Coordinates of all heavy atoms in Angstrom, one line a residue:
C238 N -15.2 42.3 0.9 CA -16.4 41.5 0.7 C -16.1 40.0 0.7 O -17.0 39.2 1.0 CB -17.0 41.9 -0.7 SG -16.0 41.5 -2.1
I239 N -14.8 39.6 0.6 CA -14.4 38.2 0.7 C -14.2 37.9 2.1 O -14.7 36.9 2.6 CB -13.1 37.9 -0.2 CG1 -13.4 38.1 -1.7 CG2 -12.7 36.5 0.1 CD1 -12.2 38.1 -2.6
T240 N -13.4 38.7 2.8 CA -13.1 38.5 4.2 C -12.7 39.9 4.8 O -12.0 40.6 4.1 CB -12.0 37.4 4.5 OG1 -11.8 37.4 5.9 CG2 -10.7 37.7 3.8
K241 N -13.0 40.1 6.0 CA -12.6 41.4 6.7 C -11.1 41.3 7.1 O -10.5 42.3 7.4 CB -13.5 41.7 7.9 CG -15.0 41.7 7.5 CD -15.4 43.1 7.2 CE -16.9 43.2 7.0 NZ -17.3 43.3 5.7
D242 N -10.6 40.1 7.3 CA -9.3 39.9 7.8 C -8.2 39.8 6.7 O -7.6 38.7 6.5 CB -9.2 38.6 8.6 CG -10.2 38.6 9.8 OD1 -10.4 39.7 10.4 OD2 -10.8 37.5 10.0
I243 N -8.0 40.9 6.0 CA -6.9 40.9 5.0 C -5.6 41.4 5.6 O -5.6 42.6 6.1 CB -7.4 41.8 3.8 CG1 -8.7 41.3 3.2 CG2 -6.3 41.9 2.8 CD1 -9.3 42.2 2.1
A244 N -4.6 40.6 5.6 CA -3.4 40.9 6.3 C -2.4 41.8 5.5 O -1.5 42.4 6.1 CB -2.7 39.6 6.7
T245 N -2.5 41.8 4.2 CA -1.6 42.6 3.4 C -2.3 43.0 2.1 O -3.3 42.4 1.7 CB -0.3 41.7 3.0 OG1 0.5 42.5 2.2 CG2 -0.7 40.4 2.3
D246 N -1.7 44.0 1.4 CA -2.3 44.4 0.1 C -1.5 43.8 -1.1 O -1.9 43.9 -2.2 CB -2.4 45.9 0.0 CG -1.0 46.6 -0.1 OD1 0.0 45.9 0.2 OD2 -1.0 47.8 -0.4
K247 N -0.4 43.1 -0.8 CA 0.4 42.5 -1.9 C -0.3 41.3 -2.5 O -0.8 40.4 -1.9 CB 1.7 42.0 -1.3 CG 2.7 41.6 -2.4 CD 4.0 41.0 -2.0 CE 4.5 41.2 -0.6 NZ 5.9 40.5 -0.4
V248 N -0.3 41.3 -3.9 CA -0.9 40.2 -4.7 C 0.3 39.6 -5.5 O 1.0 40.4 -6.2 CB -2.0 40.7 -5.7 CG1 -2.5 39.6 -6.5 CG2 -3.1 41.4 -4.9
V249 N 0.4 38.3 -5.4 CA 1.5 37.6 -6.1 C 0.9 36.5 -7.0 O -0.2 36.0 -6.8 CB 2.5 37.0 -5.2 CG1 3.2 38.1 -4.3 CG2 1.9 36.0 -4.3
L250 N 1.8 36.1 -7.9 CA 1.5 34.9 -8.8 C 2.8 34.1 -8.7 O 3.9 34.5 -9.1 CB 1.2 35.3 -10.2 CG 1.1 34.1 -11.2 CD1 -0.2 33.3 -10.9 CD2 0.9 34.7 -12.6
T251 N 2.7 32.8 -8.2 CA 3.9 32.0 -8.1 C 4.1 31.3 -9.4 O 3.2 31.1 -10.2 CB 3.7 30.9 -7.0 OG1 2.6 30.0 -7.4 CG2 3.4 31.5 -5.6
N252 N 5.3 30.8 -9.6 CA 5.6 30.1 -10.8 C 4.8 28.8 -10.9 O 4.4 28.4 -12.0 CB 7.1 29.7 -10.9 CG 7.9 30.9 -11.5 OD1 7.4 31.9 -11.9 ND2 9.3 30.7 -11.4
K253 N 4.6 28.2 -9.7 CA 3.8 27.0 -9.7 C 2.4 27.2 -10.2 O 1.9 26.4 -11.0 CB 3.7 26.5 -8.2 CG 2.9 25.2 -8.0 CD 2.9 24.8 -6.6 CE 2.0 23.6 -6.4 NZ 1.8 23.2 -5.0
Q254 N 1.8 28.3 -9.8 CA 0.4 28.6 -10.3 C 0.4 29.1 -11.8 O -0.5 28.8 -12.5 CB -0.2 29.7 -9.4 CG -0.4 29.3 -8.0 CD -1.0 27.9 -7.8 OE1 -0.4 27.0 -7.2 NE2 -2.2 27.6 -8.4
L255 N 1.5 29.7 -12.2 CA 1.6 30.1 -13.6 C 1.7 28.8 -14.5 O 1.0 28.7 -15.5 CB 2.9 30.9 -13.8 CG 3.1 31.6 -15.1 CD1 2.0 32.6 -15.4 CD2 4.4 32.3 -15.1
I256 N 2.4 27.8 -14.0 CA 2.5 26.5 -14.7 C 1.1 25.9 -14.7 O 0.7 25.3 -15.7 CB 3.6 25.7 -14.1 CG1 5.0 26.3 -14.4 CG2 3.5 24.2 -14.6 CD1 6.1 25.7 -13.6
H257 N 0.5 25.9 -13.6 CA -0.9 25.3 -13.5 C -1.8 26.0 -14.6 O -2.5 25.2 -15.3 CB -1.5 25.6 -12.1 CG -2.9 25.3 -12.0 ND1 -3.5 24.1 -11.8 CD2 -4.0 26.2 -12.2 CE1 -4.8 24.2 -11.8 NE2 -5.1 25.4 -12.1
I258 N -1.8 27.3 -14.7 CA -2.7 27.9 -15.7 C -2.3 27.5 -17.1 O -3.2 27.2 -17.9 CB -2.6 29.5 -15.5 CG1 -3.2 29.9 -14.2 CG2 -3.3 30.2 -16.7 CD1 -2.9 31.4 -13.8
A259 N -1.0 27.4 -17.4 CA -0.5 27.0 -18.7 C -0.9 25.6 -19.0 O -1.3 25.3 -20.1 CB 1.0 27.2 -18.8
E260 N -0.9 24.7 -18.0 CA -1.2 23.3 -18.3 C -2.7 23.0 -18.3 O -3.1 22.2 -19.1 CB -0.5 22.4 -17.2 CG 1.0 22.4 -17.4 CD 1.7 21.6 -16.3 OE1 1.0 21.2 -15.3 OE2 2.9 21.3 -16.4
H261 N -3.4 23.7 -17.4 CA -4.9 23.4 -17.3 C -5.8 24.3 -18.2 O -6.9 23.9 -18.4 CB -5.3 23.5 -15.8 CG -4.7 22.4 -15.0 ND1 -3.5 22.4 -14.4 CD2 -5.3 21.2 -14.6 CE1 -3.3 21.3 -13.8 NE2 -4.3 20.5 -13.9
H262 N -5.3 25.4 -18.5 CA -6.1 26.4 -19.3 C -5.2 27.0 -20.4 O -5.2 28.2 -20.6 CB -6.6 27.5 -18.4 CG -7.3 26.9 -17.2 ND1 -8.5 26.3 -17.2 CD2 -6.9 26.9 -15.9 CE1 -8.9 25.9 -16.0 NE2 -7.9 26.3 -15.2
P263 N -4.6 26.1 -21.3 CA -3.7 26.7 -22.3 C -4.4 27.6 -23.3 O -3.8 28.6 -23.8 CB -3.2 25.4 -23.0 CG -4.2 24.3 -22.7 CD -4.7 24.7 -21.4
E264 N -5.7 27.4 -23.6 CA -6.4 28.3 -24.5 C -6.6 29.7 -23.9 O -6.9 30.6 -24.7 CB -7.7 27.6 -24.9 CG -8.8 27.6 -23.8 CD -8.5 26.7 -22.6 OE1 -7.7 25.8 -22.7 OE2 -9.2 26.9 -21.6
S265 N -6.5 29.8 -22.6 CA -6.7 31.1 -22.0 C -5.5 31.8 -21.5 O -5.5 32.9 -21.0 CB -7.7 30.9 -20.8 OG -8.9 30.4 -21.2
Y266 N -4.4 31.0 -21.5 CA -3.1 31.5 -20.9 C -2.7 32.9 -21.2 O -2.5 33.7 -20.3 CB -2.0 30.5 -21.2 CG -0.7 30.8 -20.6 CD1 -0.4 30.5 -19.3 CD2 0.3 31.4 -21.3 CE1 0.8 30.7 -18.7 CE2 1.6 31.7 -20.7 CZ 1.8 31.4 -19.4 OH 3.0 31.6 -18.8
N267 N -2.6 33.2 -22.5 CA -2.2 34.6 -22.9 C -3.2 35.7 -22.4 O -2.8 36.7 -21.9 CB -2.0 34.7 -24.4 CG -0.7 33.9 -24.8 OD1 0.2 33.8 -24.1 ND2 -0.8 33.4 -26.1
D268 N -4.5 35.4 -22.6 CA -5.5 36.4 -22.2 C -5.4 36.6 -20.7 O -5.6 37.7 -20.2 CB -6.9 35.9 -22.6 CG -7.1 36.1 -24.1 OD1 -6.5 36.9 -24.7 OD2 -7.9 35.3 -24.6
V269 N -5.3 35.5 -20.0 CA -5.2 35.7 -18.5 C -4.0 36.5 -18.1 O -4.2 37.4 -17.3 CB -5.1 34.3 -17.8 CG1 -4.8 34.4 -16.4 CG2 -6.5 33.5 -18.0
L270 N -2.9 36.3 -18.7 CA -1.7 37.0 -18.3 C -1.8 38.5 -18.7 O -1.4 39.4 -17.9 CB -0.4 36.4 -18.9 CG 0.0 35.1 -18.4 CD1 1.3 34.7 -19.1 CD2 0.1 35.0 -16.9
I271 N -2.4 38.8 -19.8 CA -2.5 40.2 -20.3 C -3.5 40.9 -19.3 O -3.2 42.1 -19.0 CB -3.0 40.2 -21.7 CG1 -2.0 39.7 -22.7 CG2 -3.5 41.6 -22.1 CD1 -2.4 39.5 -24.1
E272 N -4.5 40.2 -18.9 CA -5.6 40.9 -18.1 C -5.4 40.7 -16.6 O -6.2 41.3 -15.8 CB -7.0 40.3 -18.5 CG -7.3 40.6 -19.9 CD -7.6 42.1 -20.2 OE1 -8.0 42.8 -19.3 OE2 -7.4 42.5 -21.3
L273 N -4.4 40.0 -16.1 CA -4.2 39.7 -14.7 C -4.3 40.9 -13.8 O -5.2 41.0 -12.9 CB -2.9 39.0 -14.6 CG -2.7 38.1 -13.4 CD1 -3.7 36.9 -13.4 CD2 -1.3 37.5 -13.5
K274 N -3.5 41.8 -14.0 CA -3.4 43.0 -13.1 C -4.7 43.8 -13.2 O -5.2 44.2 -12.1 CB -2.2 43.9 -13.5 CG -1.9 45.0 -12.6 CD -0.7 45.8 -12.9 CE -0.4 46.9 -12.0 NZ 0.8 47.7 -12.4
E275 N -5.2 44.1 -14.4 CA -6.4 44.9 -14.5 C -7.6 44.2 -13.9 O -8.5 44.8 -13.3 CB -6.7 45.2 -15.9 CG -5.8 46.4 -16.4 CD -6.0 47.7 -15.6 OE1 -7.1 48.1 -15.3 OE2 -4.9 48.2 -15.2
T276 N -7.7 42.9 -14.0 CA -8.8 42.1 -13.4 C -8.8 42.3 -11.9 O -9.8 42.5 -11.2 CB -8.7 40.6 -13.8 OG1 -8.7 40.5 -15.2 CG2 -9.8 39.8 -13.1
I277 N -7.6 42.3 -11.2 CA -7.5 42.4 -9.8 C -7.8 43.9 -9.4 O -8.5 44.2 -8.4 CB -6.1 42.1 -9.3 CG1 -5.8 40.6 -9.5 CG2 -5.9 42.5 -7.8 CD1 -6.7 39.7 -8.7
L278 N -7.2 44.8 -10.2 CA -7.4 46.3 -9.8 C -8.8 46.8 -10.1 O -9.3 47.7 -9.4 CB -6.4 47.1 -10.6 CG -4.9 46.9 -10.2 CD1 -4.0 47.7 -11.1 CD2 -4.7 47.2 -8.8
S279 N -9.5 46.3 -11.1 CA -10.8 46.8 -11.5 C -11.7 45.7 -11.9 O -12.1 45.6 -13.1 CB -10.6 47.8 -12.7 OG -11.8 48.4 -13.0
P280 N -12.1 44.8 -11.0 CA -13.0 43.7 -11.3 C -14.5 44.2 -11.6 O -14.9 45.3 -11.1 CB -13.0 42.9 -10.0 CG -12.8 43.9 -8.9 CD -11.8 44.9 -9.5
D281 N -15.2 43.5 -12.4 CA -16.6 43.8 -12.6 C -17.4 43.0 -11.6 O -18.5 43.5 -11.2 CB -17.0 43.3 -14.0 CG -16.4 44.1 -15.1 OD1 -16.2 45.3 -14.9 OD2 -16.1 43.6 -16.2
Y282 N -16.9 41.9 -11.2 CA -17.6 41.1 -10.2 C -16.6 40.4 -9.3 O -15.6 40.0 -9.7 CB -18.5 40.0 -10.8 CG -19.6 40.5 -11.7 CD1 -19.4 40.6 -13.1 CD2 -20.8 40.8 -11.2 CE1 -20.4 41.0 -13.9 CE2 -21.8 41.3 -12.0 CZ -21.6 41.4 -13.4 OH -22.6 41.9 -14.2
I283 N -17.0 40.2 -8.0 CA -16.4 39.3 -7.1 C -17.4 38.3 -6.6 O -18.5 38.8 -6.1 CB -15.7 40.0 -6.0 CG1 -14.6 41.0 -6.5 CG2 -15.0 39.0 -5.0 CD1 -14.0 41.9 -5.4
I284 N -17.2 37.1 -6.8 CA -18.2 36.0 -6.5 C -17.7 35.2 -5.4 O -16.5 34.8 -5.4 CB -18.6 35.2 -7.7 CG1 -19.3 36.1 -8.7 CG2 -19.5 34.0 -7.3 CD1 -19.6 35.5 -10.0
E285 N -18.5 34.7 -4.5 CA -18.1 33.9 -3.4 C -17.6 32.5 -3.9 O -18.3 31.9 -4.7 CB -19.3 33.7 -2.4 CG -18.9 32.8 -1.2 CD -20.1 32.6 -0.3 OE1 -21.3 32.8 -0.7 OE2 -19.9 32.3 0.9
D286 N -16.5 32.1 -3.3 CA -16.0 30.7 -3.6 C -16.4 29.9 -2.4 O -15.7 29.9 -1.4 CB -14.5 30.7 -3.8 CG -14.0 29.3 -4.2 OD1 -14.7 28.3 -4.0 OD2 -12.8 29.3 -4.6
K287 N -17.5 29.1 -2.5 CA -18.0 28.3 -1.4 C -17.1 27.1 -1.1 O -17.1 26.5 0.0 CB -19.4 27.8 -1.6 CG -20.4 29.0 -1.6 CD -21.8 28.5 -1.7 CE -22.6 29.8 -1.7 NZ -23.9 29.6 -1.1
K288 N -16.2 26.7 -2.0 CA -15.3 25.6 -1.8 C -14.1 25.9 -1.0 O -13.5 25.0 -0.3 CB -14.9 25.0 -3.1 CG -16.0 24.4 -3.9 CD -15.5 23.9 -5.3 CE -16.6 23.4 -6.2 NZ -16.1 23.0 -7.5
H289 N -13.6 27.2 -1.0 CA -12.4 27.5 -0.4 C -12.5 28.8 0.5 O -13.1 29.8 0.0 CB -11.3 27.8 -1.5 CG -11.1 26.6 -2.4 ND1 -11.7 26.6 -3.6 CD2 -10.4 25.5 -2.2 CE1 -11.4 25.5 -4.2 NE2 -10.6 24.8 -3.4
R290 N -12.1 28.7 1.7 CA -12.2 29.8 2.7 C -11.3 30.9 2.2 O -10.2 30.7 1.7 CB -11.7 29.2 4.0 CG -11.9 30.2 5.1 CD -11.5 29.6 6.4 NE -11.4 30.7 7.4 CZ -11.2 30.5 8.7 NH1 -11.0 29.3 9.1 NH2 -11.1 31.5 9.5
D291 N -11.8 32.1 2.5 CA -11.0 33.4 2.2 C -10.6 33.5 0.7 O -9.5 34.0 0.4 CB -9.8 33.5 3.1 CG -10.2 33.5 4.6 OD1 -11.3 34.0 4.9 OD2 -9.4 32.9 5.4
T292 N -11.4 33.0 -0.2 CA -11.1 33.0 -1.6 C -12.3 33.5 -2.4 O -13.4 33.3 -2.0 CB -10.8 31.5 -2.0 OG1 -9.8 31.0 -1.3 CG2 -10.4 31.5 -3.5
G293 N -12.0 34.3 -3.4 CA -13.0 34.9 -4.3 C -12.8 34.6 -5.7 O -11.6 34.4 -6.2
L294 N -13.9 34.6 -6.5 CA -13.8 34.5 -7.9 C -13.9 35.9 -8.5 O -14.9 36.6 -8.3 CB -15.0 33.6 -8.4 CG -15.2 32.3 -7.7 CD1 -16.4 31.6 -8.2 CD2 -13.9 31.4 -7.8
V295 N -12.8 36.3 -9.1 CA -12.7 37.7 -9.6 C -12.9 37.7 -11.1 O -12.2 37.0 -11.8 CB -11.4 38.3 -9.2 CG1 -11.3 39.8 -9.6 CG2 -11.2 38.2 -7.7
I296 N -13.9 38.5 -11.6 CA -14.2 38.5 -13.0 C -14.2 39.9 -13.6 O -14.7 40.8 -13.0 CB -15.6 37.9 -13.2 CG1 -15.7 36.5 -12.6 CG2 -16.0 37.9 -14.7 CD1 -17.0 35.9 -12.5
R297 N -13.6 40.0 -14.8 CA -13.6 41.3 -15.5 C -13.8 41.0 -17.0 O -13.2 40.1 -17.6 CB -12.2 41.9 -15.3 CG -12.1 43.3 -16.0 CD -10.8 44.0 -15.6 NE -10.8 45.3 -16.0 CZ -10.3 45.7 -17.2 NH1 -9.8 44.8 -18.0 NH2 -10.3 47.0 -17.5
K298 N -14.7 41.8 -17.6 CA -14.9 41.7 -19.0 C -13.7 42.1 -19.8 O -13.0 43.1 -19.5 CB -16.1 42.7 -19.4 CG -16.5 42.6 -20.8 CD -17.7 43.6 -21.0 CE -18.2 43.5 -22.4 NZ -19.4 44.3 -22.6
I299 N -13.4 41.3 -20.8 CA -12.3 41.6 -21.7 C -12.8 41.8 -23.1 O -13.8 41.2 -23.5 CB -11.1 40.6 -21.7 CG1 -11.6 39.2 -22.0 CG2 -10.4 40.6 -20.3 CD1 -10.6 38.1 -22.1
Y300 N -12.2 42.6 -23.8 CA -12.7 42.9 -25.2 C -11.7 42.2 -26.2 O -10.5 42.2 -26.0 CB -12.7 44.4 -25.5 CG -13.6 45.1 -24.5 CD1 -13.1 45.7 -23.3 CD2 -14.9 45.2 -24.7 CE1 -13.9 46.4 -22.4 CE2 -15.8 45.9 -23.8 CZ -15.2 46.4 -22.7 OH -16.1 47.1 -21.8
S301 N -12.3 41.6 -27.1 CA -11.5 40.9 -28.1 C -12.1 41.2 -29.5 O -13.2 41.7 -29.6 CB -11.5 39.4 -27.8 OG -12.8 38.8 -28.0
D302 N -11.4 40.7 -30.5 CA -11.9 40.9 -31.9 C -12.9 39.8 -32.3 O -13.4 39.8 -33.4 CB -10.8 41.0 -32.9 CG -9.8 39.8 -32.8 OD1 -10.1 38.9 -32.0 OD2 -8.8 39.8 -33.5
K303 N -13.2 38.9 -31.4 CA -14.1 37.8 -31.7 C -15.6 38.4 -31.5 O -15.8 39.4 -30.9 CB -13.9 36.7 -30.7 CG -12.5 36.1 -31.0 CD -12.2 34.9 -30.1 CE -10.8 34.4 -30.4 NZ -10.4 33.4 -29.5
K304 N -16.5 37.6 -32.0 CA -17.9 38.1 -32.0 C -18.5 38.0 -30.6 O -19.4 38.7 -30.3 CB -18.7 37.2 -33.0 CG -18.4 37.5 -34.4 CD -19.2 36.7 -35.4 CE -18.9 37.0 -36.8 NZ -19.7 36.3 -37.7
S305 N -18.0 37.1 -29.8 CA -18.6 36.9 -28.5 C -17.8 37.6 -27.4 O -16.6 37.7 -27.5 CB -18.8 35.4 -28.1 OG -17.5 34.8 -28.1
T306 N -18.5 38.1 -26.4 CA -17.9 38.8 -25.3 C -17.3 37.7 -24.4 O -17.9 36.7 -24.1 CB -18.9 39.6 -24.5 OG1 -19.5 40.6 -25.4 CG2 -18.2 40.3 -23.3
R307 N -16.1 38.0 -23.9 CA -15.4 37.0 -23.0 C -15.0 37.8 -21.7 O -14.9 39.0 -21.7 CB -14.2 36.4 -23.7 CG -14.7 35.6 -24.9 CD -13.6 35.0 -25.7 NE -12.4 35.8 -25.8 CZ -11.1 35.3 -25.7 NH1 -11.0 34.0 -25.6 NH2 -10.1 36.0 -25.8
H308 N -14.7 37.0 -20.7 CA -14.4 37.6 -19.4 C -13.2 36.8 -18.8 O -13.1 35.6 -18.8 CB -15.6 37.4 -18.4 CG -16.8 38.1 -18.9 ND1 -17.2 39.3 -18.6 CD2 -17.8 37.6 -19.7 CE1 -18.3 39.6 -19.2 NE2 -18.7 38.6 -19.9
S309 N -12.3 37.6 -18.2 CA -11.2 37.1 -17.4 C -11.7 36.6 -16.1 O -12.5 37.3 -15.4 CB -10.1 38.2 -17.2 OG -9.1 37.7 -16.4
F310 N -11.3 35.4 -15.7 CA -11.8 34.8 -14.5 C -10.6 34.3 -13.6 O -9.8 33.5 -14.1 CB -12.7 33.6 -14.9 CG -13.3 32.8 -13.8 CD1 -14.6 33.0 -13.4 CD2 -12.6 31.8 -13.1 CE1 -15.2 32.3 -12.4 CE2 -13.2 31.1 -12.0 CZ -14.5 31.4 -11.7
L311 N -10.5 34.9 -12.4 CA -9.4 34.5 -11.6 C -9.9 34.0 -10.2 O -10.9 34.4 -9.7 CB -8.5 35.8 -11.3 CG -7.9 36.5 -12.4 CD1 -7.2 37.7 -12.0 CD2 -6.9 35.6 -13.2
I312 N -9.1 33.1 -9.7 CA -9.4 32.6 -8.3 C -8.3 33.3 -7.4 O -7.1 33.1 -7.7 CB -9.3 31.1 -8.2 CG1 -10.4 30.5 -9.1 CG2 -9.6 30.7 -6.7 CD1 -10.3 29.0 -9.2
L313 N -8.7 34.1 -6.5 CA -7.8 34.8 -5.6 C -8.0 34.4 -4.2 O -9.0 34.5 -3.6 CB -8.1 36.3 -5.7 CG -7.3 37.3 -4.9 CD1 -5.8 37.3 -5.3 CD2 -7.9 38.7 -4.9
K314 N -6.9 33.9 -3.6 CA -6.8 33.5 -2.2 C -6.3 34.7 -1.4 O -5.3 35.3 -1.7 CB -5.9 32.3 -2.0 CG -5.6 32.0 -0.6 CD -6.7 31.4 0.1 CE -6.3 30.8 1.5 NZ -7.4 30.9 2.4
I315 N -7.1 35.2 -0.4 CA -6.8 36.3 0.4 C -5.9 35.9 1.6 O -6.3 34.9 2.3 CB -8.1 37.0 0.9 CG1 -8.9 37.5 -0.2 CG2 -7.7 38.1 1.9 CD1 -8.3 38.6 -1.1
C316 N -4.8 36.6 1.8 CA -4.0 36.3 2.9 C -4.6 36.9 4.2 O -4.8 38.1 4.3 CB -2.6 36.9 2.7 SG -1.5 36.8 4.1

Side-chain angles (χ1 to χ4, degrees):
C238 63
I239 297 172
T240 178
K241 304 269 188 255
D242 301 323
I243 301 176
T245 179
D246 69 347
K247 187 184 344 180
V248 179
V249 298
L250 176 64
T251 65
N252 278 355
K253 180 180 176 185
Q254 296 315 122
L255 192 61
I256 291 166
H257 166 86
I258 294 168
E260 290 177 349
H261 290 84
H262 310 287
E264 73 290 344
S265 298
Y266 182 78
N267 288 332
D268 288 331
V269 167
L270 292 186
I271 290 167
E272 296 294 331
L273 205 56
K274 186 174 177 180
E275 282 304 312
T276 300
I277 296 296
L278 294 175
S279 184
D281 292 328
Y282 298 95
I283 301 173
I284 295 175
E285 181 181 22
D286 182 347
K287 292 189 182 209
K288 295 179 186 175
H289 305 99
R290 185 176 167 175
D291 302 324
T292 303
L294 311 175
V295 183
I296 302 169
R297 182 171 189 272
K298 183 176 183 176
I299 57 176
Y300 301 95
S301 68
D302 55 2
K303 297 182 181 175
K304 292 181 180 182
S305 60
T306 302
R307 300 177 322 140
H308 303 268
S309 176
F310 181 98
L311 301 176
I312 300 174
L313 178 67
K314 171 73 172 148
I315 300 294
C316 173

